[in-house]
Amino acid sequence: MHVLYGGTFDPVHHGHLRLAIELCDRLAVDQVHLVPCHVPPHRGATGASASQRLELLALAVQGEAHLAIDDRELRRGGASFTADTLRQLRSELGPDVPLAMVVGTDAFAGFDRWRDWQAIPELAHVVVVQRPGPALDPEGAPARLLAERRVSVADALHRSPAGLCLELAPPLLDISATGIRERIADGRSPRYLMPDPVWQAIRRQGLYGACTDGNF
Ligand code: ATP
């Protein structure tokens, strides 16, 4: 099964990386593909450019065989719509290979506002990872989609190419990229929230308002 985990990764942090490893275990796959978006369609400007975010991501997964980067959204440019990405991948993988995309409940709550969202479950399985925050509106389209297509074991995803939803509630680290950006801009250390090579590159390049001559 081919598993995609998309995000802004602005910047990548241990919360993302830990979840990706957890996904390898729980979905029984050897690799998870991290897909940085070029321009996130549902939020404002990013703190770092697409190429800077990609460089940080590459530093984060260096030497980690279970994590791969898929930079197709950056190469495609423009707003990054998941349906386009899945269509592209589906045509590369062929109709029979199981394909799954991972999304947090925070993002899934607005799933029915994603461009061409109804095509998504036809192209891939949807793995919904529970994140802290409000529960899904039980009357809303995302909750209905989940209820209609829910399976309770990851094995089921390996047996069909697309169309199923699996909810997972792995332990999550309480780290957010927003918190990291604020911390850096305030001159406070974000060390141990992200791999050290990522922080050192941020610092060297003065990203997110980092002070290049700071001593941490
Ligand atoms: P921001 O604070 O800028 O919104 P973020 O830290 O939430 O960023 P994103 O790049 O927006 O990171 O998230 C990509 C994906 O990773 C989303 O599906 C999100 O739900 C998930 N995610 C973010 N932080 C964590 C975390 N600490 N643990 C597990 N998943 C996370």
Side-chain angles (χ1 to χ4, degrees):
M1 180 161 67
H2 193 98
V3 178
L4 289 188
Y5 171 27
T8 316
F9 303 113
D10 188 27
V12 60
H13 53 67
H14 278 140
H16 300 132
L17 299 168
R18 186 59 229 158
L19 174 61
I21 295 295
E22 203 65 64
L23 288 166
C24 285
D25 289 346
R26 291 180 185 232
L27 299 176
V29 292
D30 283 338
Q31 234 180 14
V32 163
H33 299 261
L34 303 173
V35 188
C37 62
H38 181 246
V39 178
H42 300 285
R43 47 192 278 170
T46 54
S49 71
S51 61
Q52 287 163 337
R53 288 182 286 116
L54 179 62
E55 183 194 331
L56 299 178
L57 207 47
L59 289 169
V61 304
Q62 211 168 43
E64 172 53 74
H66 296 299
L67 304 184
I69 300 174
D70 181 337
D71 67 353
R72 69 183 60 238
E73 294 189 349
L74 305 187
R75 284 185 276 115
R76 201 165 66 223
S80 303
F81 296 108
T82 302
D84 296 343
T85 303
L86 293 175
R87 250 185 224 109
Q88 219 178 40
L89 251 169
R90 178 51 77 199
S91 72
E92 289 169 21
L93 295 172
D96 301 328
V97 174
L99 172 60
M101 59 153 288
V102 177
V103 60
T105 39
D106 49 337
F108 187 68
F111 194 66
D112 52 336
R113 293 193 298 275
W114 293 18
R115 157 93 66 102
D116 212 2
W117 69 276
Q118 274 148 324
I120 293 177
E122 307 308 322
L123 293 160
H125 300 306
V126 181
V127 176
V128 181
V129 173
Q130 232 145 54
R131 296 202 63 203
L136 285 178
D137 169 8
E139 303 301 319
R144 286 205 307 273
L145 178 80
L146 198 55
E148 282 160 15
R149 295 171 179 260
R150 178 182 277 128
V151 290
S152 53
V153 290
D155 262 9
L157 306 187
H158 289 266
R159 292 194 290 267
S160 66
L164 303 175
C165 292
L166 176 72
E167 265 188 297
L168 291 179
L172 299 179
L173 298 176
D174 185 12
I175 302 174
S176 74
T178 304
I180 288 176
R181 291 194 301 273
E182 285 171 3
R183 197 172 274 273
I184 294 173
D186 287 352
R188 290 178 291 132
S189 172
R191 276 192 83 186
Y192 312 116
L193 298 175
M194 62 178 79
D196 225 34
V198 174
W199 166 230
Q200 296 311 335
I202 289 174
R203 207 165 63 99
R204 259 195 324 274
Q205 298 176 45
L207 301 179
Y208 307 109
C211 181
T212 48
D213 58 3
N215 58 3
F216 47 74

